[in-house]
Amino acid sequence: MPKPLVLGYLGVLLFMIGDGVESGFIAPYMADHGAATDVRAGYVITVYGIAVMLASWFSGALCQVWGPRRVMWTGLAIWAVFDAAYLLFALGTENYPMMLIFYGIRGFGYPLFAFGFLVWITNTAPKARLGTAVGWFYFAFTGGLPTLGSLWSSLTIPSFGRLGTLWSALVLILIGGAIALVGARRRPGGDRMAPPEVTTGESLLNSVSIVWTHPRVLVGCLVRIINTAPEFGMLVYLPRIFSDDVGFGEDKWLQLLAIIYGTNIFFNLIFGVLSDRIGWRTTIAGFGALGCAISVTTLYFVPTWLGPDYYWVAVLAGMFYGATLAGFVPISALIPSMAPENKGGSMALLNLGAGGAAFVGPAVASLFLPLVGAGGVTLIFLALYLVALVLTLTLKLPEERGGEPTAPSAAEDGRRPGTDTAPTTSSPATSA
């Protein structure tokens, strides 16, 4: 972990706890308070996902010209203002159009804040330990969304109700934002990274032009979408199925969700460190894509087959999925290293993939749930992970394709970084 950013990691954790408070119950809650059906609630989450996708793309490009610090402040302000509007004027009045508007706009908030900090990390961490530094980021990110956020909900809903719990999320967001931004206000790496003559429009254009100058980065973007699309998609239909159909009840479902991603946060660290030793691509393909293809299927079908008396089996299946989901962590180190002369563009496209998952997952669930049911949607997610496995094998660093090495070759050949190659810390390769 880059020591100057310790408070930033803590702030991101609290921010994402606030963002994750709603993850285990918001779809059925909206269905019962203005959306009318789970499918219509899924449409609201899909609109939110579109905003998340766009903001994730903007975050990398805007960090180049605004600096990560300013981007994070912008994300915090958007989340706070439009969340209050959503709670007061959408849920408070059970107004479906307002849900679409305010919940959708609020989706621009967390990617600007969280992925702005991810760019800050890649602009600060030594190259030879970038996988580990990114692992710490995802430890904080998934530690909040939805791990501790779901646990927080399971504790506060009995006392404050669901609406009160949603208001408590806003408090957590503000505290986390203050810790991250005030605590790191004088730390290096948070200011503008692009030359003075580069405009915002040019930075956004660079994040698009990389699609044809480095097509493998686009492939990496697709892999990043598949990484967490099923995670977001299952949050559309699993809350109702596990709580009501299987019979676990809401409390046990929320606890299961916390267990799944509690496992994930620790394996984010494990796979971050492991990937610096055995190779980024190897970790993504073997532990991430192939592992998730097996675990996502297990997570849905085993508990629904066995029923409520085998909750402990659901816990084991959930831990399996949470662990394998972390196998994708090194992609945030691999993809920027594939385009060393356009780190900003590659990071923007990677963040677009991260945000795109929040759109693709709920969209797949909403579109196919009425047609093939929850089991059919789960099989679609299985197929997507197998596609990610094939795509990952094409992701090669420049030196593997005959170009000039731009990162420690140990990242892919399995040697421990730093043992015979000095890390690069001052070149553009260390910024996103």
Side-chain angles (χ1 to χ4, degrees):
M1 180 187 294
K3 289 182 175 59
L5 297 179
V6 169
L7 289 177
Y9 281 103
L10 175 60
V12 168
L13 173 63
L14 290 173
F15 186 101
M16 297 313 298
I17 290 174
D19 193 81
V21 160
E22 67 189 35
S23 57
F25 68 88
I26 194 62
Y29 186 70
M30 285 194 292
D32 296 337
H33 293 81
T37 68
D38 287 346
V39 172
R40 280 164 58 90
Y43 293 151
V44 177
I45 296 174
T46 301
V47 171
Y48 170 86
I50 294 173
V52 169
M53 179 175 63
L54 292 174
S56 299
W57 170 45
F58 292 156
S59 64
L62 291 178
C63 280
Q64 292 293 300
V65 290
W66 291 4
R69 184 182 291 106
R70 182 180 171 190
V71 170
M72 291 175 68
W73 274 113
T74 303
L76 175 62
I78 290 174
W79 206 105
V81 170
F82 286 96
D83 183 63
Y86 167 69
L87 296 177
L88 288 172
F89 305 115
L91 282 182
T93 61
E94 299 191 359
N95 187 310
Y96 184 67
M98 289 295 181
M99 287 183 187
L100 290 166
I101 294 171
F102 292 129
Y103 194 74
I105 296 176
R106 200 199 77 181
F108 286 95
Y110 98 71
L112 293 177
F113 184 89
F115 295 134
F117 186 66
L118 180 58
V119 173
W120 200 335
I121 292 170
T122 61
N123 194 38
T124 305
K127 186 67 180 180
R129 293 293 178 268
L130 184 55
T132 303
V134 169
W136 275 108
F137 168 79
Y138 283 106
F139 178 93
F141 186 93
T142 58
L145 174 68
T147 313
L148 294 179
S150 298
L151 184 60
W152 177 274
S153 298
S154 71
L155 298 174
T156 57
I157 286 176
S159 300
F160 303 109
R162 291 173 181 81
L163 188 60
T165 295
L166 292 173
W167 277 108
S168 73
L170 180 58
V171 176
L172 291 170
I173 288 288
L174 293 174
I175 293 174
I179 290 175
L181 289 166
V182 175
R185 66 187 183 278
R186 295 181 180 177
R187 300 303 182 185
D191 298 319
R192 178 188 175 101
M193 295 178 286
E197 65 273 11
V198 176
T199 66
T200 300
E202 289 172 339
S203 183
L204 291 172
L205 180 60
N206 285 338
S207 69
V208 175
S209 64
I210 197 171
V211 169
W212 54 84
T213 60
H214 294 82
R216 281 187 175 85
V217 174
L218 177 60
V219 174
C221 174
L222 296 177
V223 172
R224 183 62 184 87
I225 289 174
I226 296 172
N227 171 194
T228 48
E231 171 190 343
F232 289 106
M234 287 191 296
L235 291 176
V236 172
Y237 63 89
L238 280 191
R240 187 83 73 181
I241 289 175
F242 276 25
S243 297
D244 301 339
D245 298 347
V246 176
F248 289 151
E250 187 177 59
D251 287 347
K252 283 190 174 181
W253 155 246
L254 291 173
Q255 291 166 13
L256 174 61
L257 200 61
I259 291 170
I260 292 172
Y261 295 102
T263 304
N264 175 254
I265 63 174
F266 288 104
F267 275 87
N268 283 337
L269 292 179
I270 291 171
F271 284 127
V273 174
L274 182 65
S275 69
D276 283 336
R277 296 175 180 269
I278 69 171
W280 298 332
R281 189 176 64 244
T282 300
T283 304
I284 297 165
F287 293 101
L290 181 59
C292 282
I294 300 170
S295 63
V296 73
T297 314
T298 305
L299 175 60
Y300 173 78
F301 284 105
V302 172
T304 54
W305 283 342
L306 295 179
D309 294 333
Y310 291 87
Y311 181 71
W312 65 273
V313 177
V315 168
L316 292 178
M319 293 174 68
F320 182 29
Y321 179 63
T324 55
L325 194 63
F328 284 93
V329 159
I331 198 168
S332 294
L334 174 61
I335 300 306
S337 299
M338 291 170 57
E341 74 284 4
N342 192 356
K343 287 282 183 174
S346 62
M347 201 65 188
L349 202 61
L350 183 64
N351 289 347
L352 173 62
F359 161 67
V360 172
V364 169
S366 299
L367 291 174
F368 289 98
L369 194 60
L371 300 176
V372 298
V377 173
T378 303
L379 292 177
I380 291 173
F381 291 147
L382 161 65
L384 287 176
Y385 278 128
L386 293 177
V387 170
L389 171 61
V390 175
L391 294 178
T392 299
L393 298 178
T394 69
L395 302 179
K396 297 182 178 181
L397 293 172
E399 59 267 29
E400 296 180 297
R401 304 192 303 269
E404 290 295 322
T406 57
S409 58
E412 279 297 320
D413 67 13
R415 288 181 285 110
R416 181 179 178 182
T419 56
D420 56 6
T421 307
T424 302
T425 58
S426 60
S427 71
T430 63
S431 64

